[in-house]
């Protein structure tokens, strides 16, 4: 598992996700956890960073024409090197201070199917942010370690990392990934699907932050068992062109979420169909473990268990599994 580390072990790790950036210290744990967002001002080509992280999130869909909100990552991979550089620099300075950077060595999680070009772009952004040495770690492997799964044993372990931008299915044995399957859907695309459904069914237009809030509240209701309570959604009616409020039932959101989760479940089915017999035996005995923020919706586990016939469980604090796994790598 640790063969990619040199004798000079990194002290920091970064879980650079589509939704959030987490900076993890070897001994102190998570030092920074804020949204992966940047707000720039000024003309194109000469933009200046105005805000990042939590401060930038409050500005989404509220900026005047001379300000622009950017997400460094989309669907799990880098889409804007400049924004990624600013986001990494802001996160690291917030976590360890300007003087603490020096020649910092770090681990950064990446999707297991990231292309060489995508990996090179992330390394460029990290270098521009002032990082001296960066080693990339497959996120499903880090998630499995963070979920405290026995990945170094000679048995197969299946983990489904449900991130905001991408969902990855990985079969792990003897400390390495044997097989993997990835789909570029996650929490962000579910929020977008909810917004699209409200647009089509109810002629209600909502912003990105509202869609995220509805998705989070829906998952929270499902976990707490308070599904009978409607979710209040505020937006603009396309019928009257006026502000409007809608009461949305969890049953209606189930239909949207189920269609979204089918894509992830199909990726699981495809990987299972390609799994060697002995590893299939192990998965039949131990089941599937869900990690990532998307795992917070109980519906995903229920549908996956029904479609595969396997037991499915959610890791403890699934949103932080990658960060915990990266910290464990720093310690060993």
């Amino acid at each position: 598992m640790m063969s990619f580390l040199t004798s000079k072990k990194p002290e920091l790790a970064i879980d650079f996700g589509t939704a959030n950036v987490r900076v993890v210290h070897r001994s102190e744990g998570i030092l920074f956890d804020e949204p992966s967002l940047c707000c720039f001002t000024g003309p194109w080509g000469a933009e200046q960073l105005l805000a990042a992280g939590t401060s930038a999130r409050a500005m989404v869909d509220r900026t005047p024409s001379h300000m622009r909100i950017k997400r460094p990552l989309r669907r799990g991979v880098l889409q804007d090197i400049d924004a990624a550089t600013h986001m990494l620099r802001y996160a690291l300075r917030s976590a360890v201070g300007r003087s603490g950077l020096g020649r910092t060595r770090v681990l950064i999680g990446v999707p297991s199917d990231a292309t060489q070009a995508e990996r090179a772009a992330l390394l460029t952004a990290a270098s521009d942010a002032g990082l001296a040495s960066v080693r990339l770690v497959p996120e499903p492997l880090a998630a499995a370690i963070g979920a405290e799964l026995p990945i170094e044993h000679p048995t197969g372990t299946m983990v489904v990392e449900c991130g905001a931008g991408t969902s990855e299915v990985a079969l792990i044995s003897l400390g390495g990934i044997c097989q993997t399957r990835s789909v570029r859907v996650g929490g962000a695309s579910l929020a977008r699907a909810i917004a699209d459904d409200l647009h089509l069914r109810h002629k209600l237009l909502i912003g990105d932050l509202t869609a995220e809030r509805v998705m989070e509240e829906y998952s929270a209701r499902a976990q707490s068992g308070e599904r009978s309570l409607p979710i209040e959604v505020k937006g603009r009616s396309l019928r009257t062109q006026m502000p409007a409020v809608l009461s949305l039932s969890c049953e209606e959101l189930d239909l949207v979420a189920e269609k979204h989760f089918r894509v992830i479940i199909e990726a699981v089915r495809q990987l299972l169909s390609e799994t060697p017999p002995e590893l299939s035996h192990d998965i039949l005995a131990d089941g599937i473990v869900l990690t990532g923020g998307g795992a917070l919706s109980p519906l995903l586990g229920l549908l996956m268990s029904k479609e595969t016939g396997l037991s499915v469980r959610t890791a403890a604090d699934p949103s932080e599994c990658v960060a915990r796994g990266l910290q464990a790598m720093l310690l060993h």
Side-chain angles (χ1 to χ4, degrees):
M1 178 179 69
M2 300 306 297
S3 60
F4 52 81
L5 293 180
T6 65
S7 58
K8 293 184 178 180
K9 295 181 180 179
E11 292 187 1
L12 294 176
I14 301 173
D15 176 11
F16 199 175
T18 300
N20 287 78
V21 176
R22 296 181 177 93
V23 178
V24 186
H25 189 271
R26 183 192 301 167
S27 58
E28 299 178 40
I30 298 175
L31 300 178
F32 176 91
D33 183 358
E34 293 190 21
S36 303
L37 288 169
C38 294
C39 180
F40 293 91
T41 185
W44 292 98
E47 296 175 307
Q48 294 182 339
L49 182 69
L50 182 64
T54 303
S55 298
R57 190 176 192 272
M59 301 177 181
V60 173
D61 290 338
R62 294 185 173 100
T63 56
S65 59
H66 66 281
M67 296 181 188
R68 288 167 291 281
I69 299 290
K70 294 185 178 182
R71 288 188 180 273
L73 282 78
R74 186 172 297 277
R75 296 188 174 182
V77 296
L78 199 66
Q79 66 166 355
D80 190 316
I81 292 180
D82 186 54
T85 299
H86 281 286
M87 189 71 230
L88 286 172
R89 190 178 293 138
Y90 168 76
L92 288 164
R93 288 177 178 174
S94 298
V96 299
R98 188 184 300 266
S99 61
L101 288 178
R103 302 294 291 171
T104 306
R105 309 169 67 88
V106 301
L107 301 179
I108 299 182
V110 294
S112 58
D113 71 337
T115 65
Q116 288 300 319
E118 291 166 344
R119 292 169 185 265
L122 180 56
L123 291 173
T124 297
S127 176
D128 291 345
L131 298 176
S133 176
V134 176
R135 297 185 183 277
L136 304 180
V137 177
E139 288 175 346
L141 185 64
I145 295 171
E148 299 183 351
L149 301 180
I151 66 166
E152 292 190 338
H153 294 182
T155 56
T157 299
M158 180 168 281
V159 61
V160 183
E161 164 62 12
C162 309
T166 186
S167 297
E168 297 186 87
V169 188
L171 179 59
I172 303 171
S173 180
L174 293 170
I177 296 178
C178 302
Q179 291 177 299
T180 184
R181 182 80 62 171
S182 177
V183 288
R184 297 297 170 90
V185 298
S189 53
L190 176 57
R192 188 69 260 161
I194 291 173
D196 291 344
D197 185 73
L198 291 174
H199 186 177
L200 292 172
R201 290 176 179 267
H202 300 283
K203 304 304 178 186
L204 185 73
L205 192 64
I206 64 173
D208 291 343
L209 291 185
T210 299
E212 290 177 12
R213 183 189 62 78
V214 172
M215 178 186 67
E216 292 166 358
E217 195 166 342
Y218 165 67
S219 294
R221 295 283 175 84
Q223 293 175 68
S224 65
E226 298 178 347
R227 288 174 51 86
S228 60
L229 298 175
I231 298 173
E232 185 179 86
V233 186
K234 297 179 181 179
R236 175 165 62 86
S237 171
L238 295 177
R239 294 189 177 96
T240 66
Q241 299 302 325
M242 293 287 110
V245 180
L246 173 70
S247 291
L248 198 61
S249 69
C250 287
E251 287 74 14
E252 185 171 348
L253 288 173
D254 284 343
L255 299 176
V256 181
E258 181 174 348
K259 183 178 180 181
H260 174 81
F261 291 148
R262 292 286 177 190
V263 179
I264 301 173
I265 294 170
E266 182 57 30
V268 172
R269 289 172 58 90
Q270 289 177 5
L271 191 66
L272 289 171
S273 70
E274 300 168 358
T275 300
E278 290 301 324
L279 291 176
S280 294
H281 173 274
D282 298 335
I283 297 169
L284 187 62
D286 299 330
I288 301 171
V289 178
L290 305 181
T291 64
L296 292 170
S297 174
L299 181 60
L300 175 59
L302 290 173
L303 290 173
M304 192 175 295
S305 181
K306 180 180 178 181
E307 291 292 327
T308 63
L310 300 170
S311 63
V312 180
R313 63 184 176 87
T314 301
D317 298 322
S319 297
E320 296 184 358
C321 280
V322 171
R324 291 200 305 269
L326 290 172
Q327 183 182 12
M329 289 181 169
L330 293 173
L331 290 170
H332 294 87

